[in-house]
Amino acid sequence: MEISEILPFIAGIASFLVAGGLVAWISKQPAGTKEMMDISNAVKVGAAAFLKREMKIIVPVAIALTVIIGAFLTPSNGLAFAVGAALSAVAGIISLKITVKAAVRAAHLSNDGLGKTFAMAFRGGATVGLAVPAMALMAIAGLYLVFPDPITIAGVGIGASLIALFIRIGGGIFTKAADMGADLVGKVEANIPEDDPRNPATIADNVGDNVGDAAGMGSDVYESYIVTILAALLIAALIGAPNYFLYPILVGSSGMIASIIGVVIVGSKGVTDVMKPLNRSFYVSAAIAIALNYVFITQFIEQNEAAYALFGTTVIGVILVPVIQKITDKYTSYKHGPVNEIADSAKWGYASLTLMGIIKGMQSTGPFMIALVVAIIISYSISAAAAPEGADPVLYGIFGTSLTAMAMLSLAGIVLSIDAFGPIADNAGGIAEMSEQDPIVRERTDILDSVGNTTAAVGKGFAIASAALTALALFAAYVTFTGIDGINIFKADVLAMLFVGGMIPVVFSALAMKSVGKAAMEMVQEVRRQFKEIPGIMEGTGTPEYAKCVDISTKAALKEMILPGLITIITPVIIGLVFGAEPLGGYMAGVCVSGVMWAIFQNNAGGAWDNAKKSFEAGVEINGVMTYKGSDAHKAAVTGDTVGDPFKDTSGPSMNILIKLT
C-alpha cells in the first residue's frame, strides 16, 4: 500500500489520540460540588433517555433501507449506507457525552477565572472537533480502498444524511420547546433569571442544549464531511484520471493534520478576549492546510498545469472559511452594528425588535451569497481552463469546485472545535445558576456563551456553504449517471418542479417551527401549572417536577420530527417516479437555492436576536439611559430571542442536510 493511501488513517488515528488525551485531561479535572453533579447527572440521564427513544424509531428504518438498497442496487451500497448511518449516530453520541462531561467541569472552574473556564470549554469542543471528522475521513477512505468505484459506495452519503436529519430535527424540536417554555414563563412572566432552579423547565432546557446543539451538531458536521468528499470522488471517477482519485482524501488528511496543530496551540493563560486565541488557532490551521495540500498534490498526484489549478481551488476553499466567519461575525456579534441596532430597536417594543431581527437576517444573505458565487466561479474557471488537452473542461471545472468544498470541510476539525465550545459554555452557565454559584461564575460563562452564539452561527454557515458548493458536483454526477442531457427549465414540467423544490425548504421550516411551537405551548402550560400548584416553588422551598418537562419535550420531539423527515425523503422519490429524471433535477435545483437562502437567513437572524438579548446583561444605552436585565426593553429582547430559537437551532441548521439528502 502506498504512503498516500495510508495517510488518511495516520491523520485519523493521530486525531483520535489527541482527542483521547483531551478526554483524559477533562476527566482529571474536578467535577464540582454535589449540587453541580446532581444537575449534570440529571441532564445526562435525560439526554441519554431521549437519544435511546429516538434510536428506537430511526434504527428499524435504517435497517430496512440497508436491505432495500443492498438488494436493488449493490451489496456494497447497502454496506456503505449502513456505515454512513451508524457513524452518523455515533458522531451524535460522542458529541453528547463529551459536552455533558465538560460542561459541569467548566462551571466549577469558572470560580478560578475566565482562562480556566475557556480552557475546559474549548478542549471539550476540540475533543468533538477532532474525533468526528477523523471518523468520517477514515470511514470514507476505508470504503474507497475496498470499493474503488465511488458510485458503488454512494449509499454512505444517504445513510449519513438520513440519520443526521432526524437527529438535527428531533434534537432541535426538543431543545427549543424547552428553551421557549422556560423563557416565556420564567423570564418574561415570573421575572426570574435564566436557568433559575425554581423554573421546572431548566433541566429540560439543559438536556436540549446537549441533544440539539451537541448531538445534532456532531452528526451534522459528520454528514457534511462524508457527502462533500463523496461528491468529489464521484467527479474524479467521471474525469477518468486515476491519479486524481486520491486527492480529495488527501485534502481531508491535510486539514485533519492542520486541525490537530491548531487545537494544540490554543492557550488559556491571561485570556480576556476569547476570540483572539480562537482566531489565531484557525489561521495557523489554514496556513498549514494550504501548505500540505501543495505538498500532497506535487508529491503524490502530479506536477502540471491542471494539478496546480486544482491546488488553487483548495486555497479558495480554505480562504472561504474566514470570509464566512467575518460575515457571520458582523451580523451576529454584539460588537457590531446589526446586533446593536436590534437591541436599540427594543425601545419601540416587541414588534420593532422582532422586525429588526428579520431585516438583519435577510440582509446577511447578500454578502454570504456573493462570497459563495465568487468562490464557485473562480474555482470552476481556473480548473476548467487548465484541463488537459482532450479532457472535458466542464468536468474539470466541476471537480475544482468540489475540491473547494472539500478544502473547506477539511478544516472541520478546527471549525467544529471552535463551534462546539458554545454549547458547553451554555450548559456550564445553566449548571452554575441552578447550583446557586457566585454571580461572577455566571458572568464568565455568559462571556463564553455570547461568543459561542457567533461561533455556532459560523459553524452553521460553514455547513450550508459546503452544501451549496457540493451541489454542483452532485448535479454533475446526477446528470451523468441518469443519462439525461441536462436540466432544461424551458420545459414546463422541469420549471414546475423547480418551483416545487423551492417550496420545500419553506414548508419544511414551517413544519419544524410549528412543531417547536406546539411543544413549547405544552411546556408553557406545564410550567405555569407547577408555579401555581406546587407550594413554595417561588420561595425556593418547593421542588419543581423537572422530569415532567423533560418528558413533554421528549414526546413532542419524537412525534413532531416524523412529518418534516418524511416529506424530505418521499417527495423526490414520488417526483422521480411520476415525472422522470429531468424534472427531478429541476426539483433538486429549487431545493438547493431556496434552502441555502433560508438557512443563512434563519441562522443569522437567530444568532443576532440571541446576542441582542445578551447585550442587556452588560447594559444597552437607550435614549441616553443605560438599560439592563428586567427592563421592558430586555423583555422585548427575550421575546426576539424566543422567536429566533427555532430559526437558528431547528429549521435553519437542517437546511444543509435537507439539500444533500435530496
Coordinates of all heavy atoms in Angstrom, one line a residue, residues 257-344:
I257 N -4.6 17.1 9.8 CA -3.3 17.3 10.5 C -3.2 18.8 10.9 O -2.8 19.1 12.1 CB -2.2 17.0 9.5 CG1 -2.1 15.5 9.2 CG2 -0.8 17.5 10.1 CD1 -1.3 15.1 8.0
A258 N -3.7 19.7 10.1 CA -3.7 21.1 10.4 C -4.6 21.4 11.6 O -4.2 22.2 12.5 CB -4.1 21.9 9.2
S259 N -5.7 20.7 11.7 CA -6.6 21.0 12.8 C -6.0 20.5 14.1 O -6.2 21.1 15.2 CB -8.0 20.3 12.6 OG -8.6 20.8 11.5
I260 N -5.3 19.4 14.1 CA -4.6 18.9 15.3 C -3.7 19.9 15.8 O -3.7 20.3 17.0 CB -3.9 17.6 15.0 CG1 -4.9 16.4 14.7 CG2 -3.0 17.2 16.2 CD1 -4.2 15.2 14.2
I261 N -2.9 20.5 14.9 CA -1.9 21.5 15.4 C -2.6 22.8 15.9 O -2.2 23.4 16.9 CB -1.0 21.9 14.2 CG1 -0.1 20.6 13.8 CG2 0.0 23.0 14.5 CD1 0.6 20.8 12.5
G262 N -3.7 23.1 15.2 CA -4.5 24.3 15.6 C -5.0 24.2 17.0 O -5.1 25.1 17.8
V263 N -5.5 23.0 17.3 CA -6.1 22.7 18.6 C -5.0 22.8 19.7 O -5.2 23.4 20.8 CB -6.8 21.3 18.7 CG1 -7.0 20.9 20.1 CG2 -8.1 21.4 17.9
V264 N -3.8 22.2 19.4 CA -2.8 22.1 20.4 C -2.2 23.4 20.8 O -1.8 23.6 22.0 CB -1.6 21.1 19.9 CG1 -0.4 21.2 20.8 CG2 -2.2 19.7 19.8
I265 N -2.2 24.4 19.9 CA -1.5 25.7 20.2 C -2.4 26.6 20.9 O -2.0 27.7 21.3 CB -1.0 26.4 18.9 CG1 -2.2 26.8 18.0 CG2 -0.1 25.5 18.1 CD1 -1.8 27.7 16.8
V266 N -3.7 26.3 21.1 CA -4.6 27.2 21.8 C -4.2 27.3 23.3 O -4.3 26.2 24.0 CB -6.1 26.8 21.7 CG1 -7.0 27.7 22.6 CG2 -6.5 27.0 20.2
G267 N -3.9 28.4 23.8 CA -3.6 28.6 25.2 C -4.7 29.3 25.9 O -5.6 29.9 25.3
S268 N -4.6 29.3 27.3 CA -5.7 30.0 28.0 C -5.2 30.9 29.1 O -6.0 31.6 29.8 CB -6.6 28.9 28.7 OG -5.7 28.1 29.6
K269 N -3.9 31.1 29.2 CA -3.4 32.0 30.3 C -3.6 33.4 29.9 O -3.3 33.9 28.8 CB -1.9 31.7 30.5 CG -1.6 30.4 31.2 CD -0.1 30.3 31.5 CE 0.2 29.0 32.2 NZ 1.7 28.8 32.5
G270 N -4.1 34.2 30.8 CA -4.3 35.6 30.6 C -5.3 36.0 29.5 O -5.3 37.1 29.0
V271 N -6.3 35.1 29.3 CA -7.3 35.3 28.2 C -8.3 36.4 28.7 O -8.9 36.2 29.8 CB -8.0 34.0 27.9 CG1 -9.2 34.3 27.0 CG2 -7.1 33.0 27.2
T272 N -8.5 37.4 27.9 CA -9.5 38.4 28.2 C -10.5 38.4 27.0 O -11.7 38.6 27.2 CB -8.9 39.8 28.4 OG1 -8.1 40.1 27.3 CG2 -8.1 39.8 29.7
D273 N -10.0 38.3 25.8 CA -10.8 38.3 24.6 C -10.6 36.9 24.0 O -9.6 36.6 23.4 CB -10.4 39.3 23.6 CG -11.2 39.4 22.3 OD1 -12.1 38.5 22.2 OD2 -11.0 40.2 21.5
V274 N -11.7 36.0 24.2 CA -11.5 34.6 23.8 C -11.4 34.4 22.3 O -11.0 33.4 21.9 CB -12.7 33.8 24.4 CG1 -12.6 33.8 25.9 CG2 -14.0 34.2 23.9
M275 N -11.9 35.4 21.5 CA -11.8 35.3 20.1 C -10.4 35.3 19.6 O -10.1 34.7 18.5 CB -12.6 36.3 19.4 CG -14.1 36.1 19.4 SD -14.6 34.5 18.7 CE -14.1 34.5 17.1
K276 N -9.5 35.9 20.3 CA -8.1 36.1 19.8 C -7.4 34.7 19.7 O -6.9 34.4 18.7 CB -7.3 37.0 20.7 CG -7.6 38.5 20.5 CD -6.8 39.4 21.4 CE -7.1 40.8 21.1 NZ -6.3 41.8 21.9
P277 N -7.4 33.9 20.8 CA -6.8 32.6 20.6 C -7.5 31.7 19.6 O -6.9 30.8 18.9 CB -6.8 32.0 22.0 CG -7.8 32.7 22.8 CD -7.8 34.1 22.2
L278 N -8.8 31.8 19.5 CA -9.6 31.0 18.6 C -9.2 31.4 17.1 O -9.0 30.6 16.3 CB -11.1 31.2 18.8 CG -11.7 30.7 20.1 CD1 -13.1 31.0 20.2 CD2 -11.4 29.2 20.3
N279 N -9.1 32.7 16.9 CA -8.8 33.2 15.5 C -7.4 32.8 15.2 O -7.1 32.3 14.0 CB -8.9 34.7 15.4 CG -10.4 35.1 15.3 OD1 -11.2 34.4 14.9 ND2 -10.7 36.3 15.8
R280 N -6.4 32.9 16.1 CA -5.0 32.5 15.9 C -5.0 31.0 15.5 O -4.2 30.6 14.6 CB -4.2 32.9 17.1 CG -2.7 32.5 16.9 CD -1.9 33.1 18.1 NE -2.3 32.6 19.4 CZ -2.9 33.3 20.3 NH1 -3.1 34.6 20.1 NH2 -3.2 32.8 21.5
S281 N -5.7 30.2 16.3 CA -5.7 28.8 16.0 C -6.2 28.5 14.6 O -5.6 27.7 13.9 CB -6.6 28.1 17.1 OG -6.8 26.8 16.7
F282 N -7.3 29.2 14.2 CA -7.8 28.9 12.9 C -6.8 29.3 11.8 O -6.6 28.5 10.8 CB -9.1 29.6 12.6 CG -9.5 29.5 11.2 CD1 -10.1 28.3 10.7 CD2 -9.3 30.5 10.3 CE1 -10.4 28.2 9.4 CE2 -9.6 30.4 9.0 CZ -10.2 29.2 8.5
Y283 N -6.2 30.5 11.9 CA -5.3 30.9 10.8 C -4.1 30.1 10.7 O -3.6 29.8 9.6 CB -4.9 32.4 11.1 CG -6.1 33.4 10.8 CD1 -6.6 34.2 11.8 CD2 -6.7 33.4 9.5 CE1 -7.6 35.1 11.5 CE2 -7.8 34.2 9.3 CZ -8.2 35.1 10.3 OH -9.3 35.9 10.0
V284 N -3.6 29.6 11.8 CA -2.4 28.7 11.8 C -2.9 27.4 11.1 O -2.1 26.9 10.2 CB -1.9 28.4 13.2 CG1 -0.9 27.2 13.2 CG2 -1.2 29.6 13.8
S285 N -4.0 26.8 11.4 CA -4.5 25.6 10.8 C -4.7 25.8 9.3 O -4.3 25.0 8.5 CB -5.9 25.2 11.4 OG -5.7 24.9 12.8
A286 N -5.2 27.0 8.9 CA -5.5 27.3 7.5 C -4.2 27.3 6.7 O -4.1 26.7 5.6 CB -6.2 28.6 7.3
A287 N -3.2 28.0 7.3 CA -1.9 28.1 6.6 C -1.2 26.7 6.4 O -0.7 26.4 5.4 CB -0.9 29.0 7.4
I288 N -1.3 25.9 7.5 CA -0.7 24.5 7.4 C -1.5 23.7 6.3 O -0.9 22.9 5.6 CB -0.8 23.8 8.8 CG1 0.2 24.6 9.7 CG2 -0.4 22.4 8.7 CD1 0.1 24.1 11.2
A289 N -2.8 23.8 6.3 CA -3.6 23.0 5.4 C -3.2 23.4 3.9 O -3.1 22.5 3.1 CB -5.1 23.3 5.6
I290 N -3.1 24.7 3.6 CA -2.7 25.1 2.3 C -1.3 24.5 1.9 O -1.1 24.0 0.8 CB -2.7 26.6 2.2 CG1 -4.1 27.2 2.3 CG2 -2.0 27.1 0.9 CD1 -4.2 28.7 2.4
A291 N -0.4 24.6 2.8 CA 1.0 24.1 2.6 C 0.9 22.6 2.3 O 1.6 22.1 1.3 CB 1.9 24.4 3.7
L292 N 0.2 21.8 3.1 CA 0.1 20.4 2.9 C -0.6 20.0 1.6 O -0.2 19.0 1.0 CB -0.5 19.7 4.1 CG 0.3 19.7 5.4 CD1 -0.6 19.2 6.6 CD2 1.5 18.9 5.3
N293 N -1.6 20.8 1.3 CA -2.3 20.5 0.0 C -1.4 20.6 -1.2 O -1.4 19.8 -2.1 CB -3.5 21.4 -0.2 CG -4.7 21.1 0.7 OD1 -4.8 20.0 1.1 ND2 -5.5 22.1 1.0
Y294 N -0.5 21.6 -1.1 CA 0.5 21.7 -2.2 C 1.5 20.6 -2.2 O 1.8 20.0 -3.3 CB 1.3 23.1 -2.0 CG 2.3 23.3 -3.1 CD1 2.0 23.7 -4.3 CD2 3.7 23.0 -2.8 CE1 2.9 23.9 -5.3 CE2 4.6 23.2 -3.8 CZ 4.3 23.6 -5.0 OH 5.2 23.8 -6.0
V295 N 2.0 20.2 -1.0 CA 2.9 19.1 -0.9 C 2.3 17.8 -1.4 O 2.9 17.1 -2.2 CB 3.4 18.9 0.5 CG1 4.2 17.6 0.7 CG2 4.3 20.1 1.0
F296 N 1.1 17.6 -1.0 CA 0.4 16.3 -1.4 C 0.2 16.2 -2.9 O 0.3 15.1 -3.5 CB -0.9 16.1 -0.6 CG -0.7 15.9 0.9 CD1 -1.8 16.0 1.8 CD2 0.5 15.5 1.4 CE1 -1.6 15.7 3.1 CE2 0.7 15.3 2.7 CZ -0.3 15.4 3.6
I297 N -0.3 17.3 -3.5 CA -0.6 17.2 -4.9 C 0.7 17.1 -5.8 O 0.7 16.4 -6.8 CB -1.5 18.3 -5.4 CG1 -2.1 17.9 -6.8 CG2 -0.7 19.6 -5.6 CD1 -3.3 18.8 -7.2
T298 N 1.8 17.7 -5.3 CA 3.0 17.7 -6.1 C 3.8 16.4 -5.9 O 4.4 15.8 -6.8 CB 3.9 18.8 -5.8 OG1 4.1 18.9 -4.4 CG2 3.3 20.2 -6.3
Q299 N 3.6 15.8 -4.7 CA 4.4 14.6 -4.3 C 3.6 13.3 -4.7 O 4.2 12.3 -5.1 CB 4.7 14.6 -2.9 CG 5.7 15.7 -2.4 CD 7.0 15.6 -3.2 OE1 7.6 14.6 -3.3 NE2 7.4 16.8 -3.8
F300 N 2.3 13.3 -4.5 CA 1.5 12.1 -4.7 C 0.6 12.1 -5.9 O 0.1 11.0 -6.3 CB 0.7 11.8 -3.5 CG 1.4 11.7 -2.2 CD1 1.1 12.4 -1.1 CD2 2.5 10.9 -2.1 CE1 1.8 12.3 0.1 CE2 3.3 10.7 -0.9 CZ 2.9 11.5 0.2
I301 N 0.3 13.2 -6.6 CA -0.6 13.2 -7.7 C 0.3 13.5 -9.0 O 0.7 12.6 -9.7 CB -1.7 14.3 -7.5 CG1 -2.4 14.1 -6.2 CG2 -2.7 14.2 -8.7 CD1 -3.0 12.7 -6.0
E302 N 0.5 14.8 -9.3 CA 1.4 15.1 -10.4 C 1.7 16.6 -10.4 O 1.2 17.3 -9.6 CB 0.7 14.7 -11.8 CG -0.6 15.5 -12.0 CD -1.3 15.0 -13.2 OE1 -1.0 13.9 -13.7 OE2 -2.3 15.7 -13.7
Q303 N 2.7 17.0 -11.2 CA 3.1 18.4 -11.3 C 2.9 18.8 -12.8 O 3.7 18.6 -13.6 CB 4.6 18.5 -10.9 CG 4.9 18.1 -9.5 CD 6.3 18.3 -9.1 OE1 6.9 19.3 -9.5 NE2 6.9 17.4 -8.4
N304 N 1.8 19.5 -13.0 CA 1.5 20.1 -14.3 C 0.5 21.2 -14.1 O 0.0 21.5 -12.9 CB 1.0 19.0 -15.3 CG -0.3 18.3 -14.8 OD1 -1.0 18.8 -14.0 ND2 -0.5 17.1 -15.3
E305 N 0.0 21.8 -15.2 CA -0.8 23.0 -15.0 C -2.2 22.6 -14.4 O -2.7 23.3 -13.5 CB -1.1 23.6 -16.4 CG -1.9 24.9 -16.4 CD -2.2 25.4 -17.8 OE1 -1.7 24.9 -18.7 OE2 -3.0 26.4 -17.9
A306 N -2.7 21.5 -14.8 CA -4.0 21.0 -14.2 C -3.9 20.8 -12.7 O -4.8 21.2 -11.9 CB -4.5 19.8 -14.9
A307 N -2.8 20.2 -12.3 CA -2.6 19.9 -10.8 C -2.5 21.2 -10.0 O -3.1 21.4 -9.0 CB -1.4 19.0 -10.6
Y308 N -1.7 22.2 -10.6 CA -1.6 23.4 -9.9 C -2.9 24.2 -9.8 O -3.2 24.9 -8.8 CB -0.5 24.3 -10.6 CG 0.9 23.7 -10.5 CD1 1.7 23.7 -11.6 CD2 1.4 23.2 -9.3 CE1 3.0 23.2 -11.6 CE2 2.6 22.6 -9.3 CZ 3.5 22.6 -10.4 OH 4.7 22.1 -10.3
A309 N -3.7 24.1 -10.9 CA -5.0 24.7 -10.8 C -5.9 24.1 -9.8 O -6.6 24.8 -9.0 CB -5.7 24.6 -12.2
L310 N -5.9 22.8 -9.7 CA -6.7 22.1 -8.6 C -6.2 22.5 -7.2 O -7.0 22.7 -6.3 CB -6.6 20.6 -8.9 CG -7.3 20.1 -10.2 CD1 -7.1 18.6 -10.3 CD2 -8.8 20.5 -10.2
F311 N -4.9 22.6 -7.1 CA -4.4 23.1 -5.8 C -4.9 24.5 -5.5 O -5.3 24.8 -4.4 CB -2.9 23.1 -5.8 CG -2.3 24.0 -4.7 CD1 -2.4 23.7 -3.4 CD2 -1.7 25.2 -5.0 CE1 -1.9 24.5 -2.4 CE2 -1.2 26.0 -4.0 CZ -1.3 25.7 -2.7
G312 N -5.0 25.3 -6.5 CA -5.5 26.7 -6.4 C -7.0 26.7 -5.9 O -7.4 27.5 -5.1
T313 N -7.8 25.7 -6.3 CA -9.1 25.7 -5.9 C -9.2 25.3 -4.4 O -10.2 25.8 -3.7 CB -10.0 24.6 -6.7 OG1 -9.5 23.3 -6.4 CG2 -9.9 24.9 -8.2
T314 N -8.3 24.5 -3.9 CA -8.3 24.2 -2.5 C -7.9 25.5 -1.6 O -8.4 25.6 -0.5 CB -7.3 23.1 -2.1 OG1 -5.9 23.5 -2.3 CG2 -7.6 21.9 -2.9
V315 N -7.1 26.3 -2.2 CA -6.7 27.6 -1.5 C -8.0 28.4 -1.4 O -8.3 29.0 -0.3 CB -5.6 28.4 -2.2 CG1 -5.4 29.7 -1.6 CG2 -4.4 27.6 -2.3
I316 N -8.8 28.5 -2.4 CA -10.1 29.2 -2.4 C -11.0 28.7 -1.3 O -11.6 29.5 -0.5 CB -10.8 29.2 -3.7 CG1 -9.9 29.9 -4.8 CG2 -12.2 29.8 -3.7 CD1 -10.4 29.6 -6.2
G317 N -11.1 27.4 -1.2 CA -11.9 26.8 -0.1 C -11.5 27.1 1.3 O -12.3 27.4 2.1
V318 N -10.1 27.1 1.5 CA -9.6 27.5 2.8 C -9.9 28.9 3.1 O -10.3 29.3 4.2 CB -8.1 27.2 2.9 CG1 -7.5 27.7 4.2 CG2 -7.9 25.7 2.8
I319 N -9.7 29.8 2.1 CA -9.9 31.3 2.3 C -11.4 31.6 2.6 O -11.7 32.5 3.3 CB -9.4 32.1 1.1 CG1 -7.9 32.0 1.0 CG2 -9.9 33.5 1.2 CD1 -7.3 32.6 -0.3
L320 N -12.3 30.8 2.0 CA -13.7 31.0 2.1 C -14.2 30.9 3.6 O -15.1 31.6 4.0 CB -14.5 30.0 1.2 CG -16.0 30.2 1.1 CD1 -16.3 31.6 0.6 CD2 -16.6 29.2 0.2
V321 N -13.5 30.0 4.4 CA -13.9 29.9 5.8 C -13.8 31.2 6.6 O -14.8 31.6 7.2 CB -13.1 28.7 6.4 CG1 -13.6 28.5 7.9 CG2 -13.3 27.4 5.7
P322 N -12.6 31.9 6.6 CA -12.6 33.1 7.3 C -13.5 34.2 6.7 O -14.0 35.1 7.5 CB -11.1 33.5 7.3 CG -10.5 32.8 6.1 CD -11.3 31.5 6.1
V323 N -13.8 34.1 5.4 CA -14.7 35.1 4.8 C -16.1 34.9 5.4 O -16.8 35.9 5.8 CB -14.7 35.0 3.3 CG1 -15.9 35.8 2.7 CG2 -13.4 35.4 2.7
I324 N -16.5 33.6 5.5 CA -17.8 33.3 6.1 C -17.8 33.7 7.6 O -18.8 34.3 8.1 CB -18.1 31.8 6.0 CG1 -18.4 31.5 4.5 CG2 -19.3 31.4 6.8 CD1 -18.5 30.0 4.2
Q325 N -16.7 33.5 8.3 CA -16.6 33.9 9.7 C -16.8 35.4 9.9 O -17.5 35.8 10.8 CB -15.2 33.4 10.2 CG -15.1 33.6 11.7 CD -14.5 34.9 12.1 OE1 -13.8 35.5 11.4 NE2 -14.8 35.3 13.3
K326 N -16.1 36.2 9.0 CA -16.2 37.6 9.1 C -17.7 38.1 8.9 O -18.2 39.0 9.6 CB -15.3 38.3 8.1 CG -13.8 38.1 8.4 CD -13.4 38.7 9.8 CE -11.9 38.6 10.0 NZ -11.5 39.1 11.3
I327 N -18.3 37.6 7.8 CA -19.7 38.0 7.5 C -20.6 37.6 8.7 O -21.4 38.4 9.1 CB -20.1 37.3 6.2 CG1 -19.3 37.8 5.0 CG2 -21.6 37.5 6.0 CD1 -19.5 37.0 3.7
T328 N -20.5 36.4 9.1 CA -21.3 35.9 10.2 C -21.1 36.7 11.5 O -22.0 37.1 12.2 CB -21.1 34.4 10.5 OG1 -21.2 33.7 9.3 CG2 -22.1 33.9 11.6
D329 N -19.8 37.0 11.8 CA -19.5 37.8 13.0 C -20.1 39.2 12.9 O -20.6 39.7 13.9 CB -18.0 37.9 13.1 CG -17.5 38.6 14.4 OD1 -17.8 38.0 15.5 OD2 -16.9 39.7 14.3
K330 N -20.1 39.8 11.7 CA -20.7 41.1 11.6 C -22.1 41.1 11.9 O -22.7 42.1 12.5 CB -20.4 41.6 10.1 CG -21.1 43.0 9.9 CD -20.9 43.5 8.5 CE -21.7 44.8 8.3 NZ -21.6 45.3 6.9
Y331 N -22.8 40.1 11.5 CA -24.3 40.1 11.7 C -24.8 39.4 13.0 O -26.0 39.6 13.3 CB -25.0 39.4 10.5 CG -25.0 40.3 9.3 CD1 -24.0 40.2 8.3 CD2 -26.0 41.2 9.1 CE1 -24.0 41.0 7.2 CE2 -26.0 42.1 8.0 CZ -25.0 42.0 7.0 OH -25.1 42.8 5.9
T332 N -23.9 38.8 13.7 CA -24.4 38.1 14.9 C -23.7 38.5 16.2 O -24.1 38.1 17.3 CB -24.3 36.5 14.7 OG1 -22.9 36.2 14.5 CG2 -25.1 36.0 13.6
S333 N -22.5 39.2 16.1 CA -21.8 39.5 17.3 C -22.3 40.8 17.9 O -22.6 41.8 17.2 CB -20.3 39.6 17.0 OG -19.6 40.2 18.1
Y334 N -22.3 40.9 19.2 CA -22.7 42.1 19.9 C -21.8 43.3 19.7 O -22.1 44.4 20.0 CB -22.9 41.9 21.4 CG -21.6 41.5 22.1 CD1 -20.8 42.5 22.7 CD2 -21.2 40.2 22.2 CE1 -19.7 42.1 23.3 CE2 -20.0 39.8 22.8 CZ -19.3 40.8 23.4 OH -18.1 40.4 24.0
K335 N -20.6 43.0 19.1 CA -19.6 44.0 18.9 C -19.9 44.9 17.7 O -19.2 45.9 17.4 CB -18.2 43.4 18.8 CG -17.7 42.7 20.0 CD -16.3 42.1 19.8 CE -15.8 41.4 21.1 NZ -14.5 40.8 20.9
H336 N -20.8 44.5 16.8 CA -21.0 45.1 15.6 C -22.4 45.7 15.4 O -23.3 45.4 16.2 CB -20.8 44.1 14.4 CG -19.4 43.6 14.4 ND1 -18.3 44.4 14.2 CD2 -18.9 42.3 14.7 CE1 -17.2 43.6 14.3 NE2 -17.5 42.4 14.6
G337 N -22.6 46.5 14.4 CA -23.8 47.3 14.2 C -25.1 46.6 14.2 O -26.1 47.0 14.9
P338 N -25.3 45.5 13.4 CA -26.6 44.9 13.3 C -27.2 44.4 14.6 O -28.4 44.7 14.9 CB -26.3 43.6 12.4 CG -25.1 44.1 11.5 CD -24.3 45.0 12.4
V339 N -26.4 43.8 15.5 CA -26.9 43.3 16.8 C -27.3 44.6 17.6 O -28.3 44.6 18.3 CB -25.9 42.4 17.5 CG1 -26.3 42.2 18.9 CG2 -25.8 41.1 16.7
N340 N -26.4 45.6 17.6 CA -26.7 46.8 18.3 C -28.0 47.5 17.9 O -28.7 48.0 18.7 CB -25.5 47.8 18.2 CG -24.3 47.2 18.9 OD1 -24.4 46.5 19.9 ND2 -23.1 47.6 18.4
E341 N -28.2 47.5 16.5 CA -29.4 48.0 16.0 C -30.7 47.3 16.5 O -31.7 47.8 16.8 CB -29.4 48.1 14.5 CG -28.4 49.1 13.9 CD -28.5 49.1 12.4 OE1 -29.6 49.3 11.8 OE2 -27.4 48.8 11.7
I342 N -30.5 45.9 16.6 CA -31.6 45.1 17.1 C -31.9 45.5 18.5 O -33.1 45.6 18.9 CB -31.3 43.6 16.9 CG1 -31.2 43.2 15.4 CG2 -32.4 42.8 17.6 CD1 -30.7 41.8 15.1
A343 N -30.8 45.5 19.3 CA -31.0 45.9 20.8 C -31.6 47.2 20.9 O -32.5 47.4 21.7 CB -29.7 45.8 21.5
D344 N -31.2 48.2 20.1 CA -31.7 49.6 20.2 C -33.1 49.6 19.8 O -33.9 50.4 20.4 CB -30.8 50.5 19.4 CG -31.3 52.0 19.5 OD1 -31.1 52.5 20.6 OD2 -31.8 52.5 18.5

